[in-house]
Structure formats: structure tokens, C-alpha cells
Amino acid sequence: MKFLRNLTFITLFALLLSSCSNSTPLKGALTSPFTSPQGCPDSEIEWIDMLMINDIKYEHHFPDPENKNSPLTIDKGRELGEVTYRMAGNACSNHRAQNGDATYLDVGTIIYEVKGYPTSLIVAANDVVYVVDRNPKAKTVGELYPMENLVKNIHIESTEDGKRIHTFSQASKDKFLAAFYDLPLEDDHKLYDAGKFDGTRLFFEIELNNGVSFWQLYWSDSNTFHNGAIGNDEIEEVINYEMLNIE
């Protein structure tokens, strides 16, 4: 797990500096090396498990909930579309994702909504849930993650082995989310150039009511999240408080 986190961290900056469509991978995102198709400049590509539909890029982060007593509740709704291109084994690393693209899903795989959750937040395909990673229409965190009243818990994870080491109190969770939703999204390339992704890193896991979790990387020195959001005083206060209360 420590190796995976280090690999993820290195890949993060490599991707931030490139124009490749595979943006920042999250801890737990399923990756697998594939030999590049003939004619590609790459000998091997580490693919992130993603799909793209309606101009939104989604990633699959966690194969199973950490707490086996809280299983995933996936109630599939209407069909949103289908996979039209499988990237692994077919695309080069400079491939720009288009609607219908998926990393590992076979062509023809149906993409569904998850009942009770905005399709701009999560979708399901092949009984796996994909969480939004990039939405060109989103200008704030709340627009990127439309999850009001859908968050069960926020966890702090160990930077060593990825295990949950602390859960926000209800009051802190509510205060954090109220401030988090309003944060504007900045250009992550510019934030990297400005050194916002330097210093001490923390790992947060946002757990939805249905058991689906997704991950947030946070740099405490600059109060910055990997998605381009710069925290305000409320965010910093809540995180510092919860960090001090880790037992």
C-alpha cells in the first residue's frame, strides 16, 4: 500500500504536467499495466479505471467498502449510454478521452444511473460504481460533487497503510461540507506551478450513504485539495481540530 501511494503521488504530478486525458488518479483507483498497441511511443501504459459519458470523466476508486458491515447499495436506474471504445490495449497514452470511452469495460457495456444520486456524481457499469473526477461545467466543489444530504461519513486515512484512523464528528462533518461545497475550483496546473501541491499531505475518504467512497488528497501547508480547491479558514479549522483528536 505504501508503494501504491508513492506511485500514485509520482503519477499525480506527471499527469498534471501532461496534456493526457487521464487526470489525477486517486488512491485506490484500479490500475493495470498494458502493452501499448503497435505504433504507440509507449512500451507499457498504467491505465486508471475510468469511463467518460456526457462530457464527464468518472473513476472507479474502491472495489469494496472498507467496513463489510456497510455493504454497497447500488440500485441501478435508467440507461445513460454504453461503452463504445475500450482504451486498454487499444489507445496510446496521449489518447484524449471521448464520450463512450472506458479503460477496461468492453464495448457495449451499458452505463446506468444510480437511483437517488445525481448522474453527475456517480454512475454504474458492470456492477461497479464510478465517481466523478472531472466535469468541465463545474466551477465549485459543490458543482463537481453534488452530494448534499448524501454523505454518511468523512474519514482520515493513514498515509502508511491506507486504513481509516479517524472519523469526523457529525458537527465537524457538517461544518466541513458547508464550507467545502462553496470552494471555487482553480486550475490544478497553475496550482502545481505555484507550489500548492508541496508539503504535508493528508488523505480523506468521503463515504456516501450507499457505501460508495471516494478519496481526497489534501496539502495542509497550502490548504489545497487535489481537485483544485483551496480551502478557507473554516476548512482549515475543522481539519486541524479533527487531526488533534485522532486517538
Side-chain angles (χ1 to χ4, degrees):
M1 178 63 74
K2 186 174 182 180
F3 171 78
L4 175 60
R5 287 186 181 278
N6 291 338
L7 178 62
T8 299
F9 185 59
I10 294 170
T11 308
L12 166 67
F13 293 112
L15 291 171
L16 284 175
L17 291 174
S18 73
S19 58
C20 176
S21 63
N22 292 333
S23 56
T24 307
L26 300 184
K27 183 275 298 173
L30 302 183
T31 63
S32 180
F34 270 78
T35 301
S36 301
Q38 187 174 5
C40 289
D42 327 274
S43 59
E44 195 174 81
I45 305 173
E46 290 283 344
W47 287 112
I48 302 301
D49 189 4
M50 56 78 67
L51 65 82
M52 185 169 179
I53 188 170
N54 296 328
D55 298 326
I56 300 175
K57 179 173 171 283
Y58 302 83
E59 290 184 357
H60 173 50
H61 300 156
F62 292 85
D64 296 294
E66 180 169 328
N67 182 355
K68 300 300 182 179
N69 295 321
S70 300
L72 291 177
T73 303
I74 305 173
D75 188 6
K76 291 186 291 189
R78 61 188 174 92
E79 295 184 9
L80 302 174
E82 65 180 52
V83 176
T84 57
Y85 181 71
R86 177 185 165 99
M87 293 163 56
N90 295 302
C92 299
S93 65
N94 60 355
H95 173 76
R96 289 187 175 274
Q98 303 177 36
N99 288 325
D101 285 4
T103 306
Y104 303 117
L105 299 174
D106 292 332
V107 172
T109 301
I110 303 300
I111 303 169
Y112 297 91
E113 73 172 345
V114 178
K115 288 184 179 180
Y117 293 79
T119 56
S120 58
L121 176 64
I122 59 175
V123 295
N126 199 25
D127 294 324
V128 169
V129 175
Y130 290 79
V131 181
V132 61
D133 175 61
R134 298 284 166 152
N135 184 344
K137 295 181 180 179
K139 304 302 181 185
T140 65
V141 171
E143 292 174 357
L144 180 62
Y145 303 124
M147 54 186 183
E148 188 172 0
N149 299 319
L150 298 175
V151 177
K152 180 179 180 180
N153 285 308
I154 299 176
H155 307 283
I156 300 174
E157 295 186 343
S158 167
T159 58
E160 293 298 320
D161 59 15
K163 293 182 179 179
R164 295 174 181 172
I165 58 175
H166 182 72
T167 300
F168 279 27
S169 68
Q170 182 67 42
S172 289
K173 183 193 81 170
D174 293 343
K175 184 175 181 179
F176 176 90
L177 291 174
F180 193 51
Y181 292 148
D182 290 336
L183 299 179
L185 298 175
E186 309 290 343
D187 186 312
D188 49 14
H189 291 78
K190 293 180 179 179
L191 293 178
Y192 170 77
D193 291 339
K196 296 294 185 179
F197 298 147
D198 295 333
T200 303
R201 292 170 294 147
L202 301 175
F203 300 98
F204 298 105
E205 177 192 343
I206 296 179
E207 179 187 5
L208 302 180
N209 292 334
N210 63 358
V212 173
S213 294
F214 64 99
W215 180 72
Q216 295 288 296
L217 174 58
Y218 172 80
W219 285 265
S220 58
D221 293 356
S222 60
N223 196 17
T224 303
F225 295 88
H226 78 274
N227 55 30
I230 299 177
N232 52 25
D233 291 342
E234 288 79 7
I235 291 288
E236 194 168 35
E237 179 182 342
V238 170
I239 291 176
N240 288 339
Y241 174 80
E242 292 298 327
M243 290 295 294
L244 289 173
N245 282 276
I246 295 177
E247 297 180 357

